[in-house]
mmCIF file of all heavy atoms in Angstrom:
data_model
loop_
_atom_site.group_PDB
_atom_site.id
_atom_site.type_symbol
_atom_site.label_atom_id
_atom_site.label_comp_id
_atom_site.label_asym_id
_atom_site.label_seq_id
_atom_site.Cartn_x
_atom_site.Cartn_y
_atom_site.Cartn_z
ATOM 1 N N MET A 141 25.030 96.017 59.721
ATOM 2 C CA MET A 141 24.389 95.181 58.726
ATOM 3 C C MET A 141 24.766 93.699 58.920
ATOM 4 O O MET A 141 23.922 92.833 58.839
ATOM 5 C CB MET A 141 24.803 95.689 57.341
ATOM 6 C CG MET A 141 24.153 94.969 56.206
ATOM 7 S SD MET A 141 22.419 95.406 56.151
ATOM 8 C CE MET A 141 21.893 94.455 54.794
ATOM 9 N N VAL A 142 26.041 93.465 59.149
ATOM 10 C CA VAL A 142 26.511 92.097 59.361
ATOM 11 C C VAL A 142 25.881 91.521 60.625
ATOM 12 O O VAL A 142 25.529 90.334 60.677
ATOM 13 C CB VAL A 142 28.055 92.071 59.441
ATOM 14 C CG1 VAL A 142 28.555 90.687 59.808
ATOM 15 C CG2 VAL A 142 28.659 92.524 58.127
ATOM 16 N N THR A 143 25.696 92.358 61.623
ATOM 17 C CA THR A 143 25.092 91.921 62.878
ATOM 18 C C THR A 143 23.666 91.432 62.652
ATOM 19 O O THR A 143 23.257 90.402 63.205
ATOM 20 C CB THR A 143 25.083 93.073 63.899
ATOM 21 O OG1 THR A 143 26.416 93.539 64.060
ATOM 22 C CG2 THR A 143 24.540 92.613 65.228
ATOM 23 N N TYR A 144 22.908 92.131 61.819
ATOM 24 C CA TYR A 144 21.531 91.725 61.535
ATOM 25 C C TYR A 144 21.486 90.398 60.784
ATOM 26 O O TYR A 144 20.609 89.563 61.020
ATOM 27 C CB TYR A 144 20.806 92.810 60.745
ATOM 28 C CG TYR A 144 20.562 94.056 61.534
ATOM 29 C CD1 TYR A 144 20.996 95.297 61.078
ATOM 30 C CD2 TYR A 144 19.903 94.006 62.761
ATOM 31 C CE1 TYR A 144 20.775 96.446 61.810
ATOM 32 C CE2 TYR A 144 19.675 95.147 63.501
ATOM 33 C CZ TYR A 144 20.114 96.363 63.022
ATOM 34 O OH TYR A 144 19.888 97.491 63.752
ATOM 35 N N VAL A 145 22.427 90.180 59.903
ATOM 36 C CA VAL A 145 22.490 88.903 59.180
ATOM 37 C C VAL A 145 22.800 87.774 60.162
ATOM 38 O O VAL A 145 22.168 86.715 60.120
ATOM 39 C CB VAL A 145 23.540 88.965 58.049
ATOM 40 C CG1 VAL A 145 23.760 87.587 57.439
ATOM 41 C CG2 VAL A 145 23.121 89.958 56.983
ATOM 42 N N CYS A 146 23.747 88.002 61.052
ATOM 43 C CA CYS A 146 24.092 86.987 62.050
ATOM 44 C C CYS A 146 22.917 86.696 62.978
ATOM 45 O O CYS A 146 22.637 85.539 63.290
ATOM 46 C CB CYS A 146 25.299 87.433 62.869
ATOM 47 S SG CYS A 146 26.831 87.455 61.919
ATOM 48 N N LEU A 147 22.231 87.740 63.409
ATOM 49 C CA LEU A 147 21.064 87.540 64.270
ATOM 50 C C LEU A 147 19.955 86.791 63.532
ATOM 51 O O LEU A 147 19.268 85.946 64.105
ATOM 52 C CB LEU A 147 20.544 88.882 64.781
ATOM 53 C CG LEU A 147 21.373 89.538 65.877
ATOM 54 C CD1 LEU A 147 20.833 90.932 66.186
ATOM 55 C CD2 LEU A 147 21.386 88.690 67.117
ATOM 56 N N GLY A 148 19.761 87.096 62.254
ATOM 57 C CA GLY A 148 18.759 86.393 61.454
ATOM 58 C C GLY A 148 19.089 84.919 61.315
ATOM 59 O O GLY A 148 18.213 84.060 61.441
ATOM 60 N N LEU A 149 20.348 84.612 61.048
ATOM 61 C CA LEU A 149 20.764 83.208 60.934
ATOM 62 C C LEU A 149 20.616 82.484 62.269
ATOM 63 O O LEU A 149 20.196 81.322 62.301
ATOM 64 C CB LEU A 149 22.210 83.127 60.443
ATOM 65 C CG LEU A 149 22.442 83.546 58.991
ATOM 66 C CD1 LEU A 149 23.929 83.572 58.680
ATOM 67 C CD2 LEU A 149 21.708 82.615 58.051
ATOM 68 N N LEU A 150 20.966 83.148 63.343
ATOM 69 C CA LEU A 150 20.807 82.555 64.668
ATOM 70 C C LEU A 150 19.339 82.268 64.966
ATOM 71 O O LEU A 150 18.988 81.198 65.479
ATOM 72 C CB LEU A 150 21.394 83.469 65.737
ATOM 73 C CG LEU A 150 21.298 82.970 67.181
ATOM 74 C CD1 LEU A 150 22.094 81.682 67.342
ATOM 75 C CD2 LEU A 150 21.801 84.038 68.136
ATOM 76 N N PHE A 151 18.466 83.216 64.620
ATOM 77 C CA PHE A 151 17.037 83.027 64.835
ATOM 78 C C PHE A 151 16.518 81.838 64.025
ATOM 79 O O PHE A 151 15.749 81.016 64.537
ATOM 80 C CB PHE A 151 16.274 84.296 64.453
ATOM 81 C CG PHE A 151 14.793 84.166 64.576
ATOM 82 C CD1 PHE A 151 14.177 84.168 65.807
ATOM 83 C CD2 PHE A 151 14.013 84.006 63.437
ATOM 84 C CE1 PHE A 151 12.804 84.025 65.921
ATOM 85 C CE2 PHE A 151 12.640 83.868 63.538
ATOM 86 C CZ PHE A 151 12.039 83.878 64.779
ATOM 87 N N LEU A 152 16.934 81.729 62.766
ATOM 88 C CA LEU A 152 16.504 80.592 61.942
ATOM 89 C C LEU A 152 17.009 79.270 62.503
ATOM 90 O O LEU A 152 16.293 78.270 62.516
ATOM 91 C CB LEU A 152 16.981 80.779 60.506
ATOM 92 C CG LEU A 152 16.261 81.849 59.707
ATOM 93 C CD1 LEU A 152 16.921 82.008 58.342
ATOM 94 C CD2 LEU A 152 14.790 81.513 59.548
ATOM 95 N N PHE A 153 18.242 79.262 62.991
ATOM 96 C CA PHE A 153 18.810 78.047 63.572
ATOM 97 C C PHE A 153 18.017 77.616 64.800
ATOM 98 O O PHE A 153 17.681 76.437 64.952
ATOM 99 C CB PHE A 153 20.282 78.289 63.934
ATOM 100 C CG PHE A 153 20.945 77.121 64.600
ATOM 101 C CD1 PHE A 153 21.334 76.032 63.857
ATOM 102 C CD2 PHE A 153 21.169 77.121 65.968
ATOM 103 C CE1 PHE A 153 21.952 74.946 64.466
ATOM 104 C CE2 PHE A 153 21.780 76.052 66.579
ATOM 105 C CZ PHE A 153 22.174 74.964 65.832
ATOM 106 N N VAL A 154 17.702 78.562 65.670
ATOM 107 C CA VAL A 154 16.935 78.257 66.878
ATOM 108 C C VAL A 154 15.541 77.781 66.516
ATOM 109 O O VAL A 154 15.008 76.835 67.108
ATOM 110 C CB VAL A 154 16.889 79.485 67.810
ATOM 111 C CG1 VAL A 154 15.904 79.281 68.942
ATOM 112 C CG2 VAL A 154 18.269 79.770 68.359
ATOM 113 N N LEU A 155 14.936 78.385 65.522
ATOM 114 C CA LEU A 155 13.597 77.989 65.080
ATOM 115 C C LEU A 155 13.596 76.556 64.550
ATOM 116 O O LEU A 155 12.728 75.755 64.905
ATOM 117 C CB LEU A 155 13.087 78.961 64.012
ATOM 118 C CG LEU A 155 11.683 78.718 63.492
ATOM 119 C CD1 LEU A 155 10.661 78.941 64.598
ATOM 120 C CD2 LEU A 155 11.404 79.629 62.313
ATOM 121 N N VAL A 156 14.574 76.219 63.736
ATOM 122 C CA VAL A 156 14.663 74.859 63.192
ATOM 123 C C VAL A 156 14.896 73.845 64.304
ATOM 124 O O VAL A 156 14.274 72.776 64.332
ATOM 125 C CB VAL A 156 15.774 74.780 62.119
ATOM 126 C CG1 VAL A 156 16.103 73.345 61.763
ATOM 127 C CG2 VAL A 156 15.374 75.561 60.889
ATOM 128 N N LYS A 157 15.781 74.163 65.243
ATOM 129 C CA LYS A 157 16.049 73.242 66.354
ATOM 130 C C LYS A 157 14.814 73.071 67.237
ATOM 131 O O LYS A 157 14.531 71.969 67.707
ATOM 132 C CB LYS A 157 17.226 73.739 67.200
ATOM 133 C CG LYS A 157 18.550 73.585 66.530
ATOM 134 C CD LYS A 157 18.866 72.134 66.346
ATOM 135 C CE LYS A 157 20.206 71.924 65.708
ATOM 136 N NZ LYS A 157 20.511 70.509 65.498
ATOM 137 N N ALA A 158 14.065 74.146 67.461
ATOM 138 C CA ALA A 158 12.856 74.050 68.278
ATOM 139 C C ALA A 158 11.804 73.188 67.591
ATOM 140 O O ALA A 158 11.134 72.370 68.240
ATOM 141 C CB ALA A 158 12.307 75.442 68.557
ATOM 142 N N LEU A 159 11.649 73.349 66.292
ATOM 143 C CA LEU A 159 10.688 72.518 65.563
ATOM 144 C C LEU A 159 11.113 71.057 65.550
ATOM 145 O O LEU A 159 10.278 70.159 65.662
ATOM 146 C CB LEU A 159 10.520 73.044 64.135
ATOM 147 C CG LEU A 159 9.806 74.381 64.010
ATOM 148 C CD1 LEU A 159 9.848 74.868 62.567
ATOM 149 C CD2 LEU A 159 8.379 74.291 64.511
ATOM 150 N N ASP A 160 12.414 70.810 65.416
ATOM 151 C CA ASP A 160 12.920 69.439 65.446
ATOM 152 C C ASP A 160 12.692 68.807 66.813
ATOM 153 O O ASP A 160 12.290 67.648 66.919
ATOM 154 C CB ASP A 160 14.404 69.439 65.097
ATOM 155 C CG ASP A 160 14.966 68.047 64.967
ATOM 156 O OD1 ASP A 160 14.307 67.189 64.361
ATOM 157 O OD2 ASP A 160 16.079 67.819 65.489
ATOM 158 N N TYR A 161 12.936 69.565 67.876
ATOM 159 C CA TYR A 161 12.717 69.071 69.236
ATOM 160 C C TYR A 161 11.246 68.740 69.460
ATOM 161 O O TYR A 161 10.909 67.717 70.038
ATOM 162 C CB TYR A 161 13.190 70.113 70.235
ATOM 163 C CG TYR A 161 12.963 69.722 71.678
ATOM 164 C CD1 TYR A 161 13.786 68.787 72.290
ATOM 165 C CD2 TYR A 161 11.935 70.279 72.412
ATOM 166 C CE1 TYR A 161 13.589 68.414 73.601
ATOM 167 C CE2 TYR A 161 11.724 69.920 73.728
ATOM 168 C CZ TYR A 161 12.558 68.988 74.314
ATOM 169 O OH TYR A 161 12.341 68.631 75.603
ATOM 170 N N ARG A 162 10.378 69.603 68.973
ATOM 171 C CA ARG A 162 8.936 69.368 69.134
ATOM 172 C C ARG A 162 8.491 68.141 68.354
ATOM 173 O O ARG A 162 7.677 67.352 68.832
ATOM 174 C CB ARG A 162 8.168 70.595 68.677
ATOM 175 C CG ARG A 162 6.712 70.506 68.924
ATOM 176 C CD ARG A 162 6.022 71.788 68.628
ATOM 177 N NE ARG A 162 4.603 71.635 68.867
ATOM 178 C CZ ARG A 162 3.755 72.616 68.895
ATOM 179 N NH1 ARG A 162 4.166 73.839 68.696
ATOM 180 N NH2 ARG A 162 2.489 72.390 69.114
ATOM 181 N N ALA A 163 9.037 67.935 67.158
ATOM 182 C CA ALA A 163 8.685 66.762 66.353
ATOM 183 C C ALA A 163 9.174 65.479 67.022
ATOM 184 O O ALA A 163 8.495 64.459 66.996
ATOM 185 C CB ALA A 163 9.272 66.890 64.957
ATOM 186 N N GLN A 164 10.338 65.520 67.638
ATOM 187 C CA GLN A 164 10.854 64.336 68.327
ATOM 188 C C GLN A 164 10.052 64.029 69.574
ATOM 189 O O GLN A 164 9.934 62.875 69.959
ATOM 190 C CB GLN A 164 12.312 64.534 68.703
ATOM 191 C CG GLN A 164 13.254 64.441 67.543
ATOM 192 C CD GLN A 164 14.690 64.625 67.965
ATOM 193 O OE1 GLN A 164 14.979 64.867 69.129
ATOM 194 N NE2 GLN A 164 15.600 64.538 67.023
ATOM 195 N N GLY A 165 9.499 65.029 70.206
ATOM 196 C CA GLY A 165 8.692 64.823 71.399
ATOM 197 C C GLY A 165 7.457 64.002 71.108
ATOM 198 O O GLY A 165 6.986 63.243 71.945
ATOM 199 N N LYS A 166 6.930 64.103 69.919
ATOM 200 C CA LYS A 166 5.745 63.324 69.547
ATOM 201 C C LYS A 166 6.095 61.863 69.302
ATOM 202 O O LYS A 166 5.232 61.013 69.339
ATOM 203 C CB LYS A 166 5.105 63.931 68.305
ATOM 204 C CG LYS A 166 4.519 65.303 68.564
ATOM 205 C CD LYS A 166 3.873 65.869 67.330
ATOM 206 C CE LYS A 166 3.326 67.260 67.623
ATOM 207 N NZ LYS A 166 2.751 67.878 66.439
ATOM 208 N N ARG A 167 7.359 61.579 69.056
ATOM 209 C CA ARG A 167 7.782 60.207 68.806
ATOM 210 C C ARG A 167 8.422 59.575 70.035
ATOM 211 O O ARG A 167 9.133 58.589 69.942
ATOM 212 C CB ARG A 167 8.779 60.184 67.647
ATOM 213 C CG ARG A 167 8.198 60.606 66.318
ATOM 214 C CD ARG A 167 9.183 60.362 65.206
ATOM 215 N NE ARG A 167 10.471 60.991 65.454
ATOM 216 C CZ ARG A 167 10.950 62.031 64.805
ATOM 217 N NH1 ARG A 167 10.237 62.611 63.872
ATOM 218 N NH2 ARG A 167 12.149 62.512 65.075
ATOM 219 N N ALA A 168 8.186 60.155 71.181
ATOM 220 C CA ALA A 168 8.815 59.655 72.408
ATOM 221 C C ALA A 168 8.277 58.275 72.764
ATOM 222 O O ALA A 168 7.116 57.952 72.510
ATOM 223 C CB ALA A 168 8.564 60.624 73.548
ATOM 224 N N LEU A 169 9.116 57.473 73.376
ATOM 225 C CA LEU A 169 8.732 56.126 73.786
ATOM 226 C C LEU A 169 7.884 56.181 75.049
ATOM 227 O O LEU A 169 8.025 57.076 75.879
ATOM 228 C CB LEU A 169 9.975 55.287 74.051
ATOM 229 C CG LEU A 169 10.899 55.045 72.854
ATOM 230 C CD1 LEU A 169 12.149 54.325 73.319
ATOM 231 C CD2 LEU A 169 10.201 54.260 71.777
ATOM 232 N N SER A 170 7.028 55.184 75.206
ATOM 233 C CA SER A 170 6.226 55.090 76.419
ATOM 234 C C SER A 170 7.101 54.568 77.555
ATOM 235 O O SER A 170 8.229 54.117 77.350
ATOM 236 C CB SER A 170 5.046 54.157 76.201
ATOM 237 O OG SER A 170 5.503 52.827 76.052
ATOM 238 N N HIS A 171 6.578 54.611 78.775
ATOM 239 C CA HIS A 171 7.347 54.143 79.932
ATOM 240 C C HIS A 171 7.665 52.661 79.807
ATOM 241 O O HIS A 171 8.766 52.230 80.156
ATOM 242 C CB HIS A 171 6.569 54.397 81.224
ATOM 243 C CG HIS A 171 6.461 55.846 81.573
ATOM 244 N ND1 HIS A 171 7.545 56.604 81.950
ATOM 245 C CD2 HIS A 171 5.406 56.683 81.593
ATOM 246 C CE1 HIS A 171 7.168 57.833 82.184
ATOM 247 N NE2 HIS A 171 5.869 57.922 81.977
ATOM 248 N N GLU A 172 6.719 51.888 79.316
ATOM 249 C CA GLU A 172 6.960 50.449 79.174
ATOM 250 C C GLU A 172 8.050 50.177 78.145
ATOM 251 O O GLU A 172 8.909 49.316 78.340
ATOM 252 C CB GLU A 172 5.671 49.727 78.767
ATOM 253 C CG GLU A 172 4.594 49.733 79.827
ATOM 254 C CD GLU A 172 3.789 51.024 79.841
ATOM 255 O OE1 GLU A 172 3.814 51.762 78.845
ATOM 256 O OE2 GLU A 172 3.153 51.304 80.872
ATOM 257 N N GLN A 173 8.028 50.927 77.032
ATOM 258 C CA GLN A 173 9.045 50.736 76.006
ATOM 259 C C GLN A 173 10.422 51.152 76.520
ATOM 260 O O GLN A 173 11.418 50.486 76.228
ATOM 261 C CB GLN A 173 8.687 51.535 74.755
ATOM 262 C CG GLN A 173 7.484 50.991 74.011
ATOM 263 C CD GLN A 173 7.031 51.921 72.904
ATOM 264 O OE1 GLN A 173 7.175 53.133 73.004
ATOM 265 N NE2 GLN A 173 6.481 51.340 71.848
ATOM 266 N N LEU A 174 10.459 52.227 77.301
ATOM 267 C CA LEU A 174 11.734 52.654 77.883
ATOM 268 C C LEU A 174 12.263 51.624 78.867
ATOM 269 O O LEU A 174 13.460 51.331 78.896
ATOM 270 C CB LEU A 174 11.567 54.000 78.589
ATOM 271 C CG LEU A 174 11.465 55.220 77.687
ATOM 272 C CD1 LEU A 174 11.140 56.445 78.511
ATOM 273 C CD2 LEU A 174 12.737 55.431 76.905
ATOM 274 N N ASP A 175 11.373 51.041 79.685
ATOM 275 C CA ASP A 175 11.793 50.011 80.632
ATOM 276 C C ASP A 175 12.380 48.808 79.908
ATOM 277 O O ASP A 175 13.425 48.275 80.297
ATOM 278 C CB ASP A 175 10.622 49.572 81.504
ATOM 279 C CG ASP A 175 10.210 50.632 82.503
ATOM 280 O OD1 ASP A 175 11.016 51.560 82.758
ATOM 281 O OD2 ASP A 175 9.074 50.553 83.019
ATOM 282 N N LYS A 176 11.719 48.369 78.840
ATOM 283 C CA LYS A 176 12.221 47.230 78.066
ATOM 284 C C LYS A 176 13.567 47.546 77.426
ATOM 285 O O LYS A 176 14.464 46.696 77.396
ATOM 286 C CB LYS A 176 11.217 46.847 76.987
ATOM 287 C CG LYS A 176 9.974 46.183 77.529
ATOM 288 C CD LYS A 176 9.012 45.841 76.415
ATOM 289 C CE LYS A 176 7.732 45.246 76.962
ATOM 290 N NZ LYS A 176 6.767 44.951 75.892
ATOM 291 N N LEU A 177 13.726 48.766 76.921
ATOM 292 C CA LEU A 177 14.979 49.165 76.295
ATOM 293 C C LEU A 177 16.115 49.175 77.308
ATOM 294 O O LEU A 177 17.203 48.636 77.053
ATOM 295 C CB LEU A 177 14.830 50.544 75.645
ATOM 296 C CG LEU A 177 16.056 51.125 74.967
ATOM 297 C CD1 LEU A 177 16.481 50.248 73.797
ATOM 298 C CD2 LEU A 177 15.778 52.539 74.501
ATOM 299 N N VAL A 178 15.879 49.757 78.477
ATOM 300 C CA VAL A 178 16.910 49.805 79.513
ATOM 301 C C VAL A 178 17.258 48.400 79.975
ATOM 302 O O VAL A 178 18.435 48.055 80.153
ATOM 303 C CB VAL A 178 16.445 50.682 80.695
ATOM 304 C CG1 VAL A 178 17.377 50.539 81.882
ATOM 305 C CG2 VAL A 178 16.352 52.135 80.269
ATOM 306 N N PHE A 179 16.249 47.555 80.160
ATOM 307 C CA PHE A 179 16.503 46.179 80.595
ATOM 308 C C PHE A 179 17.332 45.421 79.568
ATOM 309 O O PHE A 179 18.270 44.708 79.923
ATOM 310 C CB PHE A 179 15.179 45.459 80.852
ATOM 311 C CG PHE A 179 15.353 44.058 81.338
ATOM 312 C CD1 PHE A 179 15.834 43.806 82.604
ATOM 313 C CD2 PHE A 179 15.051 42.980 80.516
ATOM 314 C CE1 PHE A 179 16.012 42.502 83.055
ATOM 315 C CE2 PHE A 179 15.222 41.692 80.947
ATOM 316 C CZ PHE A 179 15.704 41.443 82.220
ATOM 317 N N SER A 180 17.022 45.588 78.292
ATOM 318 C CA SER A 180 17.783 44.875 77.261
ATOM 319 C C SER A 180 19.218 45.387 77.182
ATOM 320 O O SER A 180 20.143 44.603 76.965
ATOM 321 C CB SER A 180 17.097 45.003 75.902
ATOM 322 O OG SER A 180 17.124 46.334 75.449
ATOM 323 N N ILE A 181 19.425 46.690 77.387
ATOM 324 C CA ILE A 181 20.787 47.238 77.373
ATOM 325 C C ILE A 181 21.583 46.689 78.558
ATOM 326 O O ILE A 181 22.739 46.275 78.407
ATOM 327 C CB ILE A 181 20.747 48.775 77.392
ATOM 328 C CG1 ILE A 181 20.215 49.288 76.059
ATOM 329 C CG2 ILE A 181 22.122 49.351 77.678
ATOM 330 C CD1 ILE A 181 19.940 50.771 76.038
ATOM 331 N N LEU A 182 20.961 46.693 79.743
ATOM 332 C CA LEU A 182 21.651 46.172 80.918
ATOM 333 C C LEU A 182 21.939 44.684 80.789
ATOM 334 O O LEU A 182 23.001 44.207 81.194
ATOM 335 C CB LEU A 182 20.825 46.446 82.173
ATOM 336 C CG LEU A 182 20.718 47.910 82.584
ATOM 337 C CD1 LEU A 182 19.749 48.049 83.755
ATOM 338 C CD2 LEU A 182 22.070 48.486 82.927
ATOM 339 N N LYS A 183 21.010 43.953 80.210
ATOM 340 C CA LYS A 183 21.200 42.514 80.034
ATOM 341 C C LYS A 183 22.345 42.234 79.064
ATOM 342 O O LYS A 183 23.182 41.377 79.319
ATOM 343 C CB LYS A 183 19.902 41.894 79.519
ATOM 344 C CG LYS A 183 19.933 40.400 79.437
ATOM 345 C CD LYS A 183 18.589 39.862 79.000
ATOM 346 C CE LYS A 183 18.610 38.374 78.843
ATOM 347 N NZ LYS A 183 17.325 37.861 78.352
ATOM 348 N N SER A 184 22.399 42.992 77.970
ATOM 349 C CA SER A 184 23.469 42.756 76.997
ATOM 350 C C SER A 184 24.828 43.192 77.545
ATOM 351 O O SER A 184 25.844 42.569 77.259
ATOM 352 C CB SER A 184 23.175 43.483 75.686
ATOM 353 O OG SER A 184 23.224 44.879 75.856
ATOM 354 N N SER A 185 24.867 44.246 78.338
ATOM 355 C CA SER A 185 26.155 44.667 78.904
ATOM 356 C C SER A 185 26.626 43.664 79.957
ATOM 357 O O SER A 185 27.820 43.445 80.118
ATOM 358 C CB SER A 185 26.056 46.062 79.512
ATOM 359 O OG SER A 185 25.245 46.055 80.659
ATOM 360 N N GLY A 186 25.721 43.028 80.658
ATOM 361 C CA GLY A 186 26.081 42.013 81.627
ATOM 362 C C GLY A 186 26.650 40.781 80.954
ATOM 363 O O GLY A 186 27.568 40.136 81.470
ATOM 364 N N GLN A 187 26.154 40.429 79.788
ATOM 365 C CA GLN A 187 26.671 39.290 79.060
ATOM 366 C C GLN A 187 28.072 39.567 78.531
ATOM 367 O O GLN A 187 28.918 38.683 78.489
ATOM 368 C CB GLN A 187 25.745 38.929 77.909
ATOM 369 C CG GLN A 187 24.429 38.334 78.346
ATOM 370 C CD GLN A 187 23.484 38.101 77.183
ATOM 371 O OE1 GLN A 187 23.749 38.503 76.070
ATOM 372 N NE2 GLN A 187 22.371 37.430 77.452
ATOM 373 N N ARG A 188 28.322 40.818 78.149
ATOM 374 C CA ARG A 188 29.653 41.155 77.639
ATOM 375 C C ARG A 188 30.684 41.128 78.759
ATOM 376 O O ARG A 188 31.839 40.803 78.530
ATOM 377 C CB ARG A 188 29.646 42.552 76.993
ATOM 378 C CG ARG A 188 29.192 42.510 75.560
ATOM 379 C CD ARG A 188 29.386 43.834 74.903
ATOM 380 N NE ARG A 188 28.174 44.612 75.179
ATOM 381 C CZ ARG A 188 28.134 45.902 75.415
ATOM 382 N NH1 ARG A 188 29.239 46.607 75.429
ATOM 383 N NH2 ARG A 188 27.013 46.525 75.643
ATOM 384 N N ASP A 189 30.276 41.469 79.983
ATOM 385 C CA ASP A 189 31.224 41.467 81.103
ATOM 386 C C ASP A 189 31.667 40.053 81.453
ATOM 387 O O ASP A 189 32.773 39.850 81.933
ATOM 388 C CB ASP A 189 30.586 42.119 82.337
ATOM 389 C CG ASP A 189 30.371 43.609 82.143
ATOM 390 O OD1 ASP A 189 31.056 44.183 81.259
ATOM 391 O OD2 ASP A 189 29.539 44.185 82.853
ATOM 392 N N ARG A 190 30.832 39.066 81.217
ATOM 393 C CA ARG A 190 31.159 37.681 81.568
ATOM 394 C C ARG A 190 32.121 37.054 80.574
ATOM 395 O O ARG A 190 32.770 36.080 80.869
ATOM 396 C CB ARG A 190 29.882 36.845 81.631
ATOM 397 C CG ARG A 190 28.995 37.252 82.772
ATOM 398 C CD ARG A 190 27.757 36.389 82.823
ATOM 399 N NE ARG A 190 26.768 37.016 83.693
ATOM 400 C CZ ARG A 190 25.477 36.925 83.539
ATOM 401 N NH1 ARG A 190 24.979 36.234 82.518
ATOM 402 N NH2 ARG A 190 24.647 37.518 84.366
ATOM 403 N N GLU A 191 32.186 37.600 79.364
ATOM 404 C CA GLU A 191 33.039 36.989 78.322
ATOM 405 C C GLU A 191 34.486 37.355 78.460
ATOM 406 O O GLU A 191 34.963 38.139 79.092
ATOM 407 C CB GLU A 191 32.534 37.414 76.942
ATOM 408 C CG GLU A 191 31.180 36.828 76.636
ATOM 409 C CD GLU A 191 30.661 37.330 75.288
ATOM 410 O OE1 GLU A 191 31.301 38.206 74.672
ATOM 411 O OE2 GLU A 191 29.618 36.848 74.868
#
């Protein structure tokens, strides 16, 4: 009986995580937005190294 409860909770957890992953996939950044983000991160880290 305890095993079935654990399996049920595991199934619900996996279901929630899968739905969350799918929802985040729709909000993914475009290639141009990712390029700008990476460039800004690299630029800011380069400025910190000079200080």
Side-chain angles (χ1 to χ4, degrees):
M141 183 71 181
V142 174
T143 304
Y144 292 125
V145 171
C146 291
L147 285 174
L149 290 174
L150 180 63
F151 177 75
L152 288 175
F153 177 76
V154 170
L155 182 66
V156 167
K157 287 294 182 181
L159 290 173
D160 186 43
Y161 178 76
R162 186 173 179 169
Q164 286 181 358
K166 293 181 181 177
R167 295 188 306 250
L169 297 174
S170 68
H171 290 292
E172 293 82 18
Q173 290 171 329
L174 285 173
D175 289 342
K176 288 179 183 178
L177 179 63
V178 169
F179 182 70
S180 66
I181 290 171
L182 291 174
K183 186 177 177 183
S184 67
S185 68
Q187 290 175 352
R188 275 188 273 143
D189 291 339
R190 293 181 195 148
E191 293 177 354

